[in-house]
Amino acid sequence: MQVGIALLRYLADPALRARGTAATNKVESSNGYSKWLGFGGVLADNDPVGQEKLIKFNTLLANLVVFHNALDVSDIVRDLIAEGWQITADQLGQIAPHLRAHISRFGAYATDDLHRQPNPFDPLLKEVDFTEVGLAA
């Protein structure tokens, strides 16, 4: 009976359907991004341990690239704000973390820059007012 009530509520409430669709689209976007990044492995046999490793490594790779993208976007937003641009939380909410244009999956990678220390991680964009946006769903 509970499933029927939930289904009727879903059918009757456009806002609930929109929220469900948005969440589904985000998951599918993330899955597509992971698949796009995962060019190095093929699930060629029925070895469950190998399959699990491949999936976990691909998920780790996707998470690392999304994290790197978030750091780059944060740096760019800070630079724009320093130049006088007004950036809102709503505008930041429109940026997807699944950026691809800067990734050279099959290109040459230099490792001669590995000795440089990265800047410290600053997770807060103190310059942007997030109080207007309801971040909890």
Side-chain angles (χ1 to χ4, degrees):
M1 189 66 171
Q2 291 290 346
V3 174
I5 292 171
L7 182 59
L8 289 173
R9 185 174 294 137
Y10 180 81
L11 292 172
D13 187 352
L16 181 60
R17 286 195 310 273
R19 224 171 66 203
T21 300
T24 301
N25 288 343
K26 286 180 183 178
V27 169
E28 289 304 318
S29 177
S30 181
N31 289 341
Y33 194 64
S34 290
K35 185 176 180 181
W36 181 80
L37 282 171
F39 63 91
V42 177
L43 293 174
D45 55 25
N46 280 335
D47 176 24
V49 174
Q51 291 173 349
E52 185 177 4
K53 276 187 198 177
L54 184 62
I55 291 168
K56 286 182 177 181
F57 287 146
N58 185 248
T59 301
L60 176 63
L61 174 63
N63 288 339
L64 289 170
V65 174
V66 166
F67 181 67
H68 189 278
N69 288 342
L71 292 176
D72 288 346
V73 168
S74 296
D75 288 344
I76 291 167
V77 167
R78 286 187 180 99
D79 291 345
L80 289 171
I81 290 171
E83 292 175 11
W85 289 81
Q86 294 291 328
I87 308 292
T88 67
D90 285 330
Q91 290 169 326
L92 289 176
Q94 300 299 315
I95 300 172
H98 304 118
L99 306 172
R100 299 177 183 202
H102 64 294
I103 298 173
S104 176
R105 296 187 309 158
F106 305 111
Y109 294 92
T111 58
D112 57 338
D113 230 9
L114 294 177
H115 66 281
R116 290 189 315 127
Q117 285 285 359
N119 293 331
F121 172 58
D122 183 5
L124 301 177
L125 275 172
K126 299 175 193 94
E127 305 88 349
V128 178
D129 180 17
F130 288 98
T131 58
E132 299 289 324
V133 180
L135 296 177

